[in-house]
Amino acid sequence: MSLNVLILAAGKGTRMNSKLPKVLQPLGGRPLLAHVINTAQALQADKVIGVIGHGADAVKQAFADSAVDWVLQTEQLGTGHAVSVAADHLDDDACVVILYGDVPLISDATLQDLIAQVKTTHPLALLTLIMHDSTGYGRIVRDSHFKVQAIVEEKDATPEQRQIKEVNTGIMAVRGLELKKWLSQLDNNNAQREYYLTDIIAMCVADGFEVNSAQPANAIEVLGVNDKVQLQALEREYQLAQATALMRQGVTLADASRLEIRGHVTAGKDVFIDVNVVLEGNNQLAEDVTIGANCHLKNVILGQGVKVQPFSHLEDCVIDADCVIGPYARLRPGTELAEGVRIGNFVETKKVRIGKGSKVNHLSYIGDTLMGEGCNIGAGTITCNYDGVNKHLTEIGNNVFVGSDTQLIAPVKVNDGATIGAGSTITKEVPAEELTLSRSKQLTIKGWHKPVKKG
Ligand code: UD1
Ligand code: MG
């Protein structure tokens, strides 16, 4: 059997109170729907079909690069109707897995279990869950032999049926051929005047098939998101799960509840992450990296033993082993640091390559710069890289010493071993191994008196 994954995502999400369609609301920094599409891809689905309605254009645009067939459901007439509009995209001999754009944490392992239950002799399998409070959910009706008979929606249920604790998660796997047949028989004669997908369960039983069921490995997998309160609650669960996975790999966290991972992190052994750290995008942390409190890292690669001290902000950077960054450093895109570089407080870098062991320790802006090894850049050094129209390059050789409060007006080159006197404005190439400075001479007026205040 091939695999078709059908994702229902047409609902409005009124309770989100947001301009953003519900399935585009972020969880762990990615749209809810992105999680579901990723799971479909992890299952190696032959086809992924998304049913969209509210905010359809925005949803399509957000996933323009994903291999998803989109189907428009202009009116939301119920879950059964939503599946029907996609029927032409479903293969008869496929196992069709029905997922929801607002149920983001369903795992591929749980779905594998469910899919394994679908056979020619058992064309339908349900994912169910036992809940203490089953209010609002469709109830699983079983006979005296514990065989599934039907799903009854809460609004249509008898008081006895409402006592049932086993609920429909909404997720199911059905063979395409039978699914299409049953969909064509749906009606909306029920309390909500909707076409219920859940009515196909009784049809399956009526056709003489036994309905199998499976349960999720973890209840959070089937939690749906309807408002910002549930979104936040699920975010906490998701973050805790990610933090736990990191700790299992040998990462030490000061507080698992004060780490945010919005993307993907790989980490070597003995990494330490202090409180209130946000890791966004793809981050790679080698062994023995430490990240201080209140740092924000986005798409960075940190080599072994790198120390990022508190309140630092790094984006699109590659940092080699044993560099020390911060506190209060801002490393902007294109920053590449070789081994043992030190970037200190209130230093901003952008599009720079800095050689082994060089230091920029205080209050500097270094942009569009190639710097060699063993340099020492004094406090307050500014590369003046922008003339108001174009950006220009500053080239600094090896073992250069730049005195404090120097401006390097790019394009400009400083050769190996040069020393630049503090307070210089450098506009021309600086020769190697010499002292260069541009500074008006200091003078003292002998015998000068302070003015006296007039009567
Ligand atoms: C559905 C199930 C219920 C189950 C519950 C789990 C039915 C009839 N009932 O109820 O048994 O316990 O989910 O949460 O299936 N959608 C569309 N188009 C539509 C209608 C819905 O795309 O026309 C999408 C919604 O965006 C949503 C999902 O399907 O993501 C579920 O729809 P919803 O109306 O919330 O179903 P429930 O009444 O919660
Ligand atoms: Mg619902």
Side-chain angles (χ1 to χ4, degrees), residues 350 365 367-368 383-387 390-394 408-410:
K350 188 219 71 175
Y365 170 68
D368 299 289
T383 53
C384 306
N385 58 334
Y386 188 51
D387 59 13
N390 294 304
K391 296 279 169 67
H392 301 282
L393 183 69
T394 298
L408 298 160
I409 315 283

Side-chain angles (χ1 to χ4, degrees), residues 333-349:
T335 296
E336 294 177 26
L337 308 183
E339 220 179 298
V341 166
R342 301 178 78 99
I343 303 291
N345 43 238
F346 307 109
V347 172
E348 175 180 345
T349 64

Side-chain angles (χ1 to χ4, degrees), residues 5 28 53 56 84 93 128-129 149 214 250 252 254 267 274 314 333 393 409 414 438:
V5 172
S84 296
D93 66 345
T128 75
L129 186 69
Q149 294 298 295
T252 304
D274 212 332
L314 283 68
L393 183 69
I409 315 283
V414 181
S438 83

Side-chain angles (χ1 to χ4, degrees), residues 294-305:
N294 302 297
C295 287
H296 191 140
L297 274 58
K298 183 174 180 185
N299 303 325
V300 303
I301 299 176
L302 303 185
Q304 185 162 2

Side-chain angles (χ1 to χ4, degrees), residues 5-24:
V5 172
L6 180 61
I7 305 171
L8 305 192
K12 188 163 181 199
T14 314
R15 283 173 283 165
M16 279 290 168
N17 249 319
S18 171
K19 293 187 290 298
L20 198 63
K22 175 155 86 167
V23 294
L24 295 185

